[in-house]
């Protein structure tokens, strides 16, 4: 195993213990997040702002690993990145027009990707290779965040569900805004029947509700909202309990700030020392490593996808007959475009985890793997005999990664899905400015950010394993993603300040033929509705203001040159990092 020349002592499972962080250059996106995460992992260093980060030993690792963050070509900040990459378009679908997220989503994703790049470089170095420099663009981070929506826009066939304004949250007679979650159409129907909704509306509402994760909108029949508004919150809760569905009132940032336990977005827990390390130099940070992924939907599959881009061989564990989401429309060459966005390039093995013989086969596979990753429901792995303790018994060097909803940190929490976690943690309040009613975004903000944090945590676990010889349990969660995303707003709430951004914040401006977005620091200019988008951009440039056309049709991004096509013909966004 490649180790630093000077012995180190690791405390509290911190993979960067004994290393130093330095910053230089002009500030970049999410500098504070990068520095905070590096410190949480044990790195020492100053807090000076700078868009270039370097991590090295003192003095045993003189060749520093570096990563530099930038906004990208033609964009200057969070607002313009959201406009140029389609984030505003996707987030605004429920409203019928582009809307900016009031949280710094692209910058947060960029910060997490930068930490990934630094960990990947250190891991390559520890494994006998060299990957000293990386470049991370906020523009590419934005494209990654909407990669599934881009893939669907470039598919051979149209969407399976209508793209039209509408969606949760629902409101009760006494003013409670709430989110609803169920995977069962029978539970959906029973809930709405209990609220007195008509059968036809219940039937028509299920499909947009079911597809809202894919389309970022849910055009329900208006009568469903009317049925909710006719009932008290207590009646809604009772109906949900009887129907077996989950409802969650929209929580405030102040409440989340009061209960916040200060936990990092991941937890690393080393176990037995048995890993002997890599002796031959590697070409990529994870070259020669195997990741077993038993994931569904977005969070765990995205984590594994990024690990694959860093060189790992990813083997996807699928049920008999294959992942049913492979057939989810729209398709490219017969395969779901959205599925390909997260799973292209992975191998697949069908395993019936209900079968004892197949579970034993999975344990044998885990005995030869480096990472086992899943996002099963809480307690499922233990019931199957596939929890950390079970797999560590057959492979003590395993990095066992669980990407969950709540990480066991909140009692009485609802189902741990993206929109429910948004509702419970105040994301719905943080994501919209003060003149808009709080509402969780129907863009899968936390599934994507949770996947990015899962990758960061797995890389930290692999680096810790290299430096200690210990296998590691890694836990990350959607709750951790929400806390990272809302940290600035939550801090304002904890100080008794208004956590929300002012009215109109990041709201794009109408032109005669489209929309434009201005940087956050720009004053709102004169009415641009009489000018074309090109004329408005040119007019504002003459006044010294950067204006960016807002992407409203994601298909238009496919012709920009940065989006390639995979073997199935599905759009593929560029890798989020560029390594030297």
């Amino acid at each position: 195993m490649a180790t630093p020349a000077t012995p180190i002592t690791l405390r509290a499972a911190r993979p960067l213990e004994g290393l130093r962080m330095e910053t230089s250059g002009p500030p970049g996106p999410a500098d504070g997040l990068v520095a905070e995460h590096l410190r949480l992992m044990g790195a020492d260093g100053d807090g000076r702002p700078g868009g270039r980060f370097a991590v090295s030993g003192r003095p045993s690792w003189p060749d520093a690993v570096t990563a530099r963050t930038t906004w990208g070509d033609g964009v200057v900040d969070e607002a313009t990145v959201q406009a140029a990459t389609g984030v505003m378009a996707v987030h605004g679908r429920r409203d019928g027009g582009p809307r900016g997220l009031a949280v710094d989503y692209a910058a947060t994703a960029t910060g997490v990707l930068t930490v990934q790049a630094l960990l990947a470089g250190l891991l390559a170095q520890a494994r006998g290779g060299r990957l000293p420099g990386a470049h991370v663009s906020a523009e590419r981070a934005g494209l990654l965040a909407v990669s599934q929506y881009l893939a669907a826009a470039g598919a051979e066939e149209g969407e399976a569900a209508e793209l039209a304004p509408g969606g949760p949250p629902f409101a009760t007679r006494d003013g409670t805004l709430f989110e609803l979650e169920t995977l069962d159409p029978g539970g959906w129907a029973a809930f709405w029947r209990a609220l007195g909704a008509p059968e036809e509306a219940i039937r028509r509402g299920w499909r947009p509700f079911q597809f809202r994760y894919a389309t970022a909108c849910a055009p329900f029949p208006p009568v469903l909202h009317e049925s909710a508004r006719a009932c008290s919150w207590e009646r809604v809760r009772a109906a949900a309990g009887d129907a077996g569905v989950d409802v969650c009132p929209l929580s405030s940032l102040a409440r989340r700030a009061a209960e916040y336990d200060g936990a990092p977005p991941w937890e690393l827990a080393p176990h037995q020392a048995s890993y002997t390390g890599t002796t031959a130099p590697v070409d990529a940070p994870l070259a020669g490593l195997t990741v077993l992924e038993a994931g569904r939907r977005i969070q765990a599959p995205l984590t594994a996808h990024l690990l694959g881009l860093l060189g790992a061989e990813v083997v996807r564990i699928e049920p008999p007959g294959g992942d049913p989401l492979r057939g989810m429309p729209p398709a490219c060459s017969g395969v779901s475009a959205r599925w390909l966005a997260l799973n292209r390039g992975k191998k697949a093995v069908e395993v019936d985890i209900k079968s004892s013989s197949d579970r034993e086969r999975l344990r044998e596979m885990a005995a030869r793997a480096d990472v086992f990753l899943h996002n099963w429901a809480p307690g499922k792995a233990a019931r199957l005999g596939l929890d950390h303790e079970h797999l560590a018994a057959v492979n003590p060097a395993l990095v066992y990664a669980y990407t969950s909803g709540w990480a066991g940190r909140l009692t009485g929490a609802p189902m741990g899905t993206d929109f429910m976690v948004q509702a419970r943690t105040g994301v719905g309040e943080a994501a919209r400015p003060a003149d808009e009613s709080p509402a969780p975004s129907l863009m899968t903000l936390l599934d994507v950010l949770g996947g990015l944090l899962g990758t960061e945590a797995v890389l930290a676990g692999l680096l810790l394993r290299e430096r200690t010889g210990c296998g590691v349990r890694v836990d990350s969660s959607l709750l951790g993603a929400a806390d990272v995303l809302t940290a600035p707003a939550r801090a304002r709430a904890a100080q008794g300040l208004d956590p929300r951004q002012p009215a109109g914040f990041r709201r794009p401006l109408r032109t005669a033929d489209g929309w434009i977005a201005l940087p956050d620091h720009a004053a709102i200019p004169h009415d641009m509705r009489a000018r074309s988008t090109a004329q408005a951009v040119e007019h504002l440039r003459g006044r010294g203001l950067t204006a960016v056309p807002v992407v409203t049709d994601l298909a238009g991004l496919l012709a920009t040159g940065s989006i390639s096509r995979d073997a199935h013909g599905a759009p593929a966004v560029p890798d989020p990092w560029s390594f030297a």
Side-chain angles (χ1 to χ4, degrees):
M1 178 176 63
T3 57
T6 303
I8 60 171
T9 300
L10 293 171
R11 301 189 306 272
R14 304 206 295 176
L16 302 187
E17 190 75 35
L19 304 186
R20 180 168 181 79
M21 165 188 65
E22 296 179 352
T23 60
S24 61
D31 287 352
L33 182 150
V34 177
E36 177 189 5
H37 284 205
L38 295 178
R39 290 193 192 98
L40 286 170
M41 293 181 190
D44 295 325
D46 57 54
R48 294 176 299 175
R52 181 181 182 272
F53 286 83
V55 179
S56 63
R58 296 178 298 173
S60 53
W61 286 8
D63 295 329
V65 172
T66 66
R68 181 169 61 93
T69 61
T70 63
W71 287 109
D73 296 331
V75 295
V76 296
D77 71 346
E78 177 73 31
T80 50
V81 166
Q82 288 190 24
T85 60
V87 171
M88 284 188 177
V90 176
H91 173 58
R93 281 180 178 176
R94 68 166 333 133
D95 300 299
R99 290 287 186 276
L101 285 163
V103 287
D104 291 345
Y105 190 74
T108 301
T110 303
V112 176
L113 289 165
T114 302
V115 178
Q116 290 177 18
L118 291 165
L119 292 170
L122 290 167
L123 183 59
Q125 190 179 69
R127 300 182 68 219
R130 179 161 172 75
L131 200 68
H135 168 240
V136 184
S137 162
E139 189 170 26
R140 288 192 176 190
L143 291 174
L144 178 65
V146 298
S147 59
Q148 291 187 86
Y149 307 101
L150 277 170
E156 300 162 351
E157 58 187 22
E159 288 279 9
E162 182 184 9
L163 297 182
F170 300 98
T172 64
R173 183 178 62 215
D174 40 6
T176 299
L177 297 174
F178 71 94
E179 267 284 354
L180 167 68
E181 185 65 279
T182 180
L183 306 179
D184 175 23
W188 162 269
F191 172 77
W192 288 109
R193 287 185 188 122
L195 299 192
E199 287 294 326
E200 176 63 14
I202 296 172
R203 184 189 64 78
R204 287 175 48 219
W206 171 247
R207 189 170 184 83
F209 178 80
Q210 184 183 25
F211 275 83
R212 70 200 190 285
Y213 281 92
T215 60
C217 59
F220 301 136
V223 70
L224 294 184
H225 285 282
E226 294 167 8
S227 298
R229 283 194 296 268
C231 300
S232 67
W233 171 238
E234 285 305 315
R235 182 177 174 189
V236 166
R237 286 184 59 193
D242 292 342
V245 306
D246 275 18
V247 290
C248 180
L250 265 62
S251 188
S252 68
L253 289 162
R255 178 188 180 189
R256 182 62 193 143
E259 70 183 3
Y260 179 56
D261 56 7
W266 24 248
E267 182 178 355
L268 309 176
H271 50 91
Q272 303 178 51
S274 65
Y275 180 62
T276 56
T278 302
T279 55
V282 295
D283 297 325
L286 304 189
L289 302 184
T290 299
V291 176
L292 293 184
E293 176 226 321
R296 57 180 184 171
R297 293 193 177 234
I298 299 172
Q299 187 185 16
L302 176 58
T303 292
H305 173 66
L306 293 172
L307 295 172
L309 294 180
L310 289 169
E313 178 182 72
V314 180
V315 180
R316 183 168 166 77
I317 306 303
E318 299 189 3
D323 186 346
L325 293 182
R326 286 176 179 266
M328 182 181 186
C332 288
S333 302
V335 182
S336 168
R338 289 190 179 89
W339 189 90
L340 287 168
L342 300 177
N343 296 293
R344 66 171 56 90
K346 299 176 183 178
K347 296 182 178 181
V349 175
E350 294 184 13
V351 175
D352 182 3
I353 58 175
K354 298 178 182 178
S355 160
S356 59
S357 60
D358 269 19
R359 290 197 299 274
E360 184 57 35
R361 183 161 66 100
L362 185 54
R363 292 188 194 96
E364 292 172 359
M365 294 171 65
R368 301 186 298 272
D370 297 278
V371 177
F372 181 80
L373 165 70
H374 73 89
N375 63 344
W376 292 328
K380 181 175 181 178
R383 291 194 298 272
L384 294 171
L386 297 172
D387 206 355
H388 168 250
E389 293 81 2
H390 305 113
L391 297 190
V394 298
N395 183 359
L398 188 68
V399 174
Y400 183 101
Y402 180 33
T403 58
S404 67
W406 300 104
R409 288 168 52 199
L410 284 185
T411 58
M415 191 184 303
T417 56
D418 189 308
F419 306 144
M420 296 297 268
V421 178
Q422 284 195 51
R424 176 62 179 80
T425 59
V427 174
E429 188 177 57
R432 290 183 170 251
D435 59 337
E436 297 181 20
S437 178
S441 176
L442 284 181
M443 180 178 162
T444 50
L445 302 182
L446 300 186
D447 271 333
V448 170
L449 186 54
L452 297 182
L453 286 165
T455 305
E456 178 183 303
V458 170
L459 289 169
L462 287 167
L463 180 60
L464 188 64
R465 184 180 75 161
E466 285 289 338
R467 302 190 72 192
T468 65
C470 295
V472 183
R473 168 158 181 154
V474 171
D475 287 272
S476 62
S477 65
L478 299 181
L479 175 61
D483 285 338
V484 169
L485 183 61
T486 61
R490 196 179 63 249
R492 293 194 296 271
Q495 298 169 31
L497 304 174
D498 186 352
R500 305 188 73 190
Q501 297 290 355
F505 183 71
R506 286 195 188 136
R507 191 167 298 152
L509 303 176
R510 256 292 188 189
T511 65
D513 58 356
W515 304 81
I516 59 170
L518 279 79
D520 287 336
H521 67 269
I524 300 297
H526 296 293
D527 193 338
M528 294 286 115
R529 285 176 294 181
R531 302 175 187 267
S532 69
T533 298
Q535 290 170 341
V537 169
E538 188 63 29
H539 173 74
L540 293 169
R541 184 179 295 128
R543 298 175 59 190
L545 288 174
T546 299
V548 173
V550 178
V551 169
T552 54
D553 181 3
L554 296 186
L557 281 174
L558 304 179
T560 61
S562 62
I563 312 296
S564 61
R565 296 271 180 170
D566 66 14
H568 295 270
V573 302
D575 289 1
W577 341 260
S578 299
F579 290 103

